[in-house]
Amino acid sequence: MASKRSRPATGPVRRTLVRLFKIGVFGTLAAIVALVIAVVIAMASLPGYDELKSSPNGQMVRVHAADGTVIVSMGPSYGDWIPFARIPDVMVDAMIATEDRRFYMHPGVDPIGIARSGMVRVERGRWAQGGSTITQQLTRNIFLSNTRTFARKFREIILALAMERKFSKQQILELYLNRVYFGGGAYGIDAASRKFFGHSADRFTLGEAAIIAGLVKAPSNYSPTADAAAAVGRAKVVIALMRAQGKVSADEESTADPSDVKLAPEPKQNSVRYFTDWALAQLDTLVDETSEPIEVWTTLDLTMQRAADNAIRQNTPPGTQGALVALDRGGEVRAMVGGKDYVNSIYNRATQAVRQPGSAFKLFVYLAALEAGHKPEDRVVDEPIDIAGWRPRNSSGRFNGQMDIRSAFAFSINTVAAKLGAEVGFDTVADMARRFGITTPVDTHPSMVLGTSDVRLIDMTRAFAAVAQKGIAVTPYGITKVTNAKGDLLYEHQVDTSRVLVAPYVAAQMTDLLQTAVNTGTGRAAQIGRPVAGKTGTTSSNKDGWFVGFASGLTTGVWMGRDDAKPIPGLQGGRAPAQAFAAFMKVAVAQRPTETFDTEVTLPEWQLEPDDEAYFGQPDESFVDENGNGPNAP
């Protein structure tokens, strides 16, 4: 009896185990059925093969110069679609060896790879090795994101299984090799081949294929243009994997040297980027948001752009920066240089920098005076003046007595500008500046007539362009039209000539003054052998030098200075900036007919000694600039 009571109760345990086994079996069958149903549903929802081929990721933007030349391609690049039959075997072998060695054996998901990835996860305490197949990577690339969640991984598995049921292995490889991201904006092997090697993807050496295949793991880390040594090292790993899997022989492995691969030269980031950065920032306001590739047609003239780049590089004093912007009659930006070297500094001094314009600001003082009834031949007196305790001085340190307004402007006489500003009202001068397109704050202190308010070069240039256009407002623009890849028009610019800023006779009189400044005054270095009208500007302690002027329908502004606004000995508007203007304009208007201005300039009857801006040598100890400052200022 005692022995029977100590016998284990095997019946209930057995029944429990059987019940658990049945539950497990039914659970597994239910999971399999659910998985099959999910895969079938996913298969039905998958797009067709042709649709998958024609649905690129991201937006491609190609920017054209005025002559149609493509100057910048931005966003993803796709190259040509390479059918599987044309994809070199070495490229297919390199990719499979690197990313999915059991590609032809698994159903879209590799259980061995997943198990290995899980073991590494347990050993290291973090995900350090991926278990995704090529098919999984393709589904993630097309349909999903890279967020690391179990929900995303589950959807990835379902879609991968569905794709393997719907498409052949060759089709999956063709999609993958034409869609995967290789860095540098290149999607697909053709775009990558053209970017890194300069040829199409229907031919690859072993070294090239190994470099391309090695990029998939981390495009930014192994890019041959960013880190050639890392790219070569990764390519050697790829070739070793190919050798281990029997895809290449020992001799091929030993003779293949990825470091011998010739890389295509990277396009230089030249001054054109100053223009494209400025112009493309306006796209959001011009066209509705779209993911399709677009073509952007711009106003940039490549001949003028090269001339502008050379003019700034060759004439800007050492240790300083320079900027130039050129506007055509309708506001078309034909050239833009925001600095001496875009690679070293992307800061656009033509559109972003705000600096004092010095005497170039007198444009608005004299516009206000002419609109108030003054004429170029009116007589004024250059004499000491006191305006609420402010006593402006001339850069020459002298007062010249009676002269006409034309001469006072041509030789940049500060006292006369101050008198005229006080007469018409400093608020009126500020309003005139704003009327002509100055977008930065303009103060109304008396000294404002000498250019103490900060302005942008592009704003000053548009103001002078409006004078050249007989008082009609000019709005700078860089994009003429936007089309999609099919050529459908998405946007087209319309030039507005309806805003009249001043009467034509005021603009004509102002042109008279500006032409005299170039013919006989401070801007003589800007002469180019045809009629030119313009004005120099030099700020206190020679921190900034300006020249803005126009000829043959083209208006150009030049600024030079240091970004930290430190003084630059010898920098004056009538020297380097005027010389850069002339160097540029001689090329820019060479193919344009010579145009005389609407007003015939009457030169002064007596010759006034020009202020120091007109000299081309270094200033002597007695130099005093336009604002009455300098080493010998009282």
Side-chain angles (χ1 to χ4, degrees):
M1 295 294 293
S3 62
K4 289 182 180 179
R5 284 196 298 268
S6 63
R7 189 182 304 165
T10 57
V13 172
R14 184 180 295 110
R15 286 194 296 273
T16 301
L17 291 173
V18 170
R19 188 181 302 114
L20 291 174
F21 176 76
K22 289 179 178 179
I23 291 173
V25 170
F26 284 119
T28 301
L29 289 174
I32 292 173
V33 171
L35 181 63
V36 170
I37 292 173
V39 171
V40 171
I41 293 173
M43 283 178 62
S45 65
L46 284 175
Y49 191 72
D50 290 338
E51 187 177 348
L52 289 177
K53 287 175 61 176
S54 61
S55 57
N57 300 325
Q59 185 182 37
M60 177 72 174
V61 179
R62 293 206 310 167
V63 186
H64 301 258
D67 64 358
T69 302
V70 176
I71 51 178
V72 171
S73 293
M74 306 185 72
S77 174
Y78 297 97
D80 294 331
W81 189 275
I82 309 296
F84 186 81
R86 288 178 49 209
I87 298 174
D89 291 341
V90 69
M91 184 71 255
V92 175
D93 292 341
M95 194 64 72
I96 291 176
T98 308
E99 294 298 316
D100 190 357
R101 68 184 67 181
R102 285 175 290 275
F103 174 73
Y104 287 109
M105 294 181 286
H106 62 65
V109 178
D110 184 5
I112 298 174
I114 293 175
R116 185 180 63 251
S117 176
M119 292 176 58
V120 173
R121 169 72 174 84
V122 172
E123 292 174 358
R124 302 189 185 182
R126 59 185 176 86
W127 293 109
Q129 182 172 313
S132 295
T133 64
I134 281 178
T135 313
Q136 286 177 266
Q137 292 180 43
L138 179 61
T139 59
R140 184 167 64 243
N141 179 270
I142 297 177
F143 302 113
L144 305 172
S145 67
N146 286 319
T147 55
R148 292 192 174 188
T149 63
F150 286 106
R152 194 271 296 165
K153 195 69 176 178
F154 179 73
R155 286 195 297 158
E156 177 185 297
I157 290 172
I158 297 297
L159 287 170
L161 292 170
M163 288 197 75
E164 290 269 356
R165 305 286 73 73
K166 187 165 185 174
F167 305 119
S168 69
K169 290 285 187 179
Q170 287 190 353
Q171 286 178 315
I172 290 171
L173 273 175
E174 181 179 324
L175 282 171
Y176 181 81
L177 290 169
N178 282 282
R179 293 291 300 269
V180 72
Y181 182 59
F182 292 102
Y187 285 82
I189 55 173
D190 190 63
S193 179
R194 293 178 190 276
K195 176 177 177 60
F196 299 123
F197 311 131
H199 61 73
S200 66
D202 53 7
R203 57 185 177 89
F204 276 116
T205 65
L206 176 57
E208 290 173 340
I211 289 175
I212 292 293
L215 286 169
V216 177
K217 181 178 181 180
S220 59
N221 293 342
Y222 298 120
S223 170
T225 54
D227 190 338
V232 168
R234 175 66 178 161
K236 289 179 178 178
V237 171
V238 172
I239 294 173
L241 288 171
M242 295 176 71
R243 171 71 182 97
Q245 296 170 42
K247 301 298 182 182
V248 296
S249 66
D251 288 341
E252 288 174 318
E253 180 185 14
S254 62
T255 56
D257 187 356
S259 61
D260 291 337
V261 172
K262 186 177 181 181
L263 299 177
E266 278 283 277
K268 294 182 179 180
Q269 300 293 309
N270 58 22
S271 65
V272 167
R273 288 299 303 273
Y274 286 117
F275 170 80
T276 56
D277 288 353
W278 169 77
L280 293 180
Q282 304 161 33
L283 272 178
D284 289 343
T285 64
L286 302 181
V287 297
D288 294 332
E289 186 175 350
T290 175
S291 60
E292 64 177 336
I294 59 174
E295 306 283 333
V296 180
W297 305 81
T298 73
T299 59
L300 194 75
D301 184 298
L302 292 178
T303 299
M304 292 191 195
Q305 183 66 23
R306 285 189 290 269
D309 208 16
N310 291 334
I312 291 299
R313 289 175 181 272
Q314 295 172 9
N315 291 281
T316 303
T320 65
Q321 277 290 350
L324 182 152
V325 62
L327 305 180
D328 219 326
R329 303 177 195 273
E332 303 92 337
V333 175
R334 297 304 187 193
M336 178 182 287
V337 176
K340 290 198 293 187
D341 190 337
Y342 180 87
V343 175
N344 291 334
S345 173
I346 65 173
Y347 182 56
N348 192 335
R349 296 156 188 86
T351 62
Q352 295 175 284
V354 289
R355 303 296 289 257
Q356 292 184 355
S359 286
F361 192 85
K362 291 175 183 175
L363 174 80
F364 308 116
V365 178
Y366 281 81
L367 278 170
L370 294 171
E371 190 174 60
H374 282 286
K375 296 180 177 58
E377 56 272 10
D378 285 353
R379 306 294 289 179
V380 289
V381 180
D382 173 18
E383 61 185 351
I385 184 174
D386 187 317
I387 304 175
W390 177 57
R391 301 179 180 86
R393 295 180 295 271
N394 296 322
S395 59
S396 64
R398 298 186 300 274
F399 300 102
N400 301 284
Q402 278 208 356
M403 64 175 63
D404 57 34
I405 283 180
R406 182 183 291 112
S407 299
F409 182 84
F411 297 109
S412 205
I413 304 301
N414 289 339
T415 57
V416 173
K419 276 187 175 183
L420 293 174
E423 178 187 329
V424 300
F426 302 115
D427 286 336
T428 301
V429 175
D431 287 342
M432 183 65 73
R434 287 188 283 266
R435 191 194 309 177
F436 269 74
I438 299 302
T439 57
T440 46
V442 180
D443 68 54
T444 54
H445 300 299
S447 61
M448 60 92 72
V449 299
L450 304 185
T452 56
S453 296
D454 290 336
V455 297
R456 294 184 176 90
L457 175 60
I458 194 168
D459 288 348
M460 287 295 292
T461 308
R462 74 181 291 193
F464 278 75
V467 174
Q469 289 306 105
K470 304 178 183 179
I472 303 295
V474 172
T475 302
Y477 72 97
I479 298 176
T480 57
K481 67 177 180 178
V482 181
T483 67
N484 60 20
K486 300 176 183 177
D488 299 328
L489 189 65
L490 304 179
Y491 164 81
E492 187 169 25
H493 182 82
Q494 301 294 328
V495 176
D496 181 8
T497 59
S498 63
R499 290 183 57 231
V500 179
L501 305 180
V502 292
Y505 77 88
V506 174
Q509 290 177 330
M510 192 68 241
T511 302
D512 180 336
L513 303 185
L514 291 166
Q515 187 174 20
T516 307
V518 174
N519 284 347
T520 66
T522 60
R524 288 186 294 175
Q527 295 175 5
I528 60 173
R530 65 172 69 197
V532 175
K535 183 71 182 77
T536 58
T538 307
T539 62
S540 60
S541 303
N542 304 82
K543 295 176 183 176
D544 304 88
W546 296 71
F547 186 88
V548 190
F550 50 87
S552 298
L554 192 70
T555 304
T556 299
V558 177
W559 167 87
M560 293 179 185
R562 287 174 57 104
D563 289 335
D564 58 11
K566 289 184 178 180
I568 304 163
L571 178 64
Q572 296 165 17
R575 295 182 181 176
Q579 292 166 343
F581 171 92
F584 167 73
M585 291 291 280
K586 285 176 182 177
V587 177
V589 302
Q591 303 303 315
R592 298 188 176 203
T594 299
E595 298 180 15
T596 57
F597 299 121
D598 287 344
T599 179
E600 184 177 350
V601 175
T602 303
L603 299 180
E605 296 179 357
W606 51 276
Q607 183 66 42
L608 179 73
E609 183 173 344
D611 64 17
D612 291 293
E613 271 193 333
Y615 289 108
F616 299 103
Q618 291 295 320
D620 59 25
E621 291 297 318
S622 65
F623 172 74
V624 181
D625 69 20
E626 291 174 284
N627 291 336
N629 299 302
N632 201 36

